[in-house]
Every structure is written in C-alpha cells, then in structure tokens.
Amino acid sequence: MQKIRVLMVCLGNICRSPMAHGVFQARVRAHGLESAIEVDSAGTAGYHVGARPDPRAREEASRRGYDLDQLRARQLEADDFETFDYILTMDEANYRNAQQIQPNGARARLHRFLEFAQDHPEREVPDPYYGGPDGFVHVMDLVEAASDGLLDHICREHALERVS
Ligand code: 4NP
C-alpha cells in the first residue's frame, strides 16, 4: 500500500514545523502506523535551508519527550504538492505562500494545521522566533492538540486501524 504522506509547513522550518513534524511522527509511531504514514516538514522561505531546528524548539520538544535532532530545514517546492497527500500550514501567511506555488489539480490537500486542534480557539500557530521561551511552550501545546486531531482525521479518511 502506498504511504500517506504528511508535510508540516511554516516560514523558516526551524521552529514550528519541525515541532509539528516531531510530535506528529511520535503519534504515528505510538499508534503503530509507521508503515502507513510518512511525515516531513518544510519552510516557505529558504533562509535556514540545511539548519537544525532552533535550540529553543529542540529544548521544549525534548522536555516533552520528542527528539528533533535529526531534522534539517528545507524549502517548500511545487513538487511537494504532487508527492504529499496533506500539507498543513502553521499560519495564514504560510497558507497564502503555499497556495501561490500550488499547481492546478495537485494531489495534496492544503489545510491550516489548527483546523484539527480541539479545545483551542486559535487558528494560527504564532511565530515564536523573535520571542522568549514561553512562545515555544505555547506552540507545543497547539501542535500536540492539532496532531491528535489530524491523526484522528487521517485514520477516519483512510480507515486505518491504530494498534493502541
Ligand atoms: P518558523 O520560525 O517559521 O516557525 O521556523 C521562524 C524562523 C526563522 C525566521 C522567522 C520565523 N526568520 O525570520 O529567520
């Protein structure tokens, strides 16, 4: 069976989307779905291509039991819309920038990630880059909630059985 491919997108691919990548990947593993779902992340901008996630993102992730150390930033490209099934953007600017390079009739469905977050009124994951460590705590809360909702959604759409 062809894998379901999920791509998390923010601006720089060093803060929010790597956190979303790590958390969603951990959810996929925890439910025994690695053979069915593949996860990646990218940024709409190329400033940080090749860089590891921001140390503040890695620290907050590690505090909650996620490991982002293997991730490296890359830029979103039009071809991603042909090779991924779900592309999730963190904020409205990311959504508009992704839409601008989305080819007509592309395979991927483009969503705002927080559509899937239950119990959070926010509709955008705020950019934590220029703020303090609290911003990363808040991003992680939003990303964990949206990851749970997204996994539910994908399992329903594809009739996937979770192991636990
Ligand atoms: P991200 O955060 O989009 O969550 O990775 C940012 C990272 C870098 C910059 C802005 C936001 N920057 O301007 O370099």
Side-chain angles (χ1 to χ4, degrees):
M1 196 181 83
Q2 213 189 0
K3 279 193 177 184
I4 298 157
R5 303 190 75 219
V6 175
L7 182 66
M8 304 295 184
V9 172
C10 63
L11 174 62
N13 193 209
I14 56 167
C15 298
R16 293 164 292 174
S17 61
M19 292 164 91
H21 182 163
V23 170
F24 191 67
Q25 177 80 71
R27 295 291 190 273
V28 165
R29 284 204 195 103
H31 293 288
L33 294 168
E34 307 98 301
S35 60
I37 304 176
E38 199 171 295
V39 191
D40 195 8
S41 59
T44 57
Y47 326 127
H48 298 281
V49 168
R52 304 173 77 183
D54 187 285
R56 297 164 296 174
R58 280 188 273 140
E59 190 173 309
E60 182 56 23
S62 156
R63 216 175 57 73
R64 299 194 193 200
Y66 308 104
D67 180 4
L68 309 184
D69 290 354
Q70 303 312 311
L71 305 183
R72 297 293 180 273
R74 74 168 180 91
Q75 190 169 10
L76 179 70
E77 45 195 60
D79 202 45
D80 290 320
F81 286 87
E82 308 299 348
T83 56
F84 285 86
D85 298 286
Y86 298 92
I87 298 183
L88 293 310
T89 54
M90 299 298 132
D91 66 26
E92 287 304 307
N94 309 150
Y95 188 87
R96 283 192 303 275
N97 288 331
Q99 254 184 337
Q100 276 164 9
I101 63 162
Q102 179 177 31
N104 286 332
R107 158 179 166 182
R109 268 168 289 170
L110 183 61
H111 289 276
R112 295 161 175 91
F113 189 37
L114 292 192
E115 277 174 41
F116 300 100
Q118 303 279 313
D119 305 324
H120 287 276
E122 293 98 318
R123 281 295 157 257
E124 298 187 272
V125 183
D127 182 349
Y129 187 66
Y130 293 106
D134 287 2
F136 288 81
V137 173
H138 184 52
V139 168
M140 215 25 145
D141 289 340
L142 295 172
V143 158
E144 286 187 325
S147 292
D148 290 336
L150 177 63
L151 192 63
D152 287 345
H153 175 82
I154 292 177
C155 286
R156 265 198 313 275
E157 278 207 337
H158 297 268
L160 293 179
E161 296 279 348
R162 279 177 262 204
V163 169
S164 53

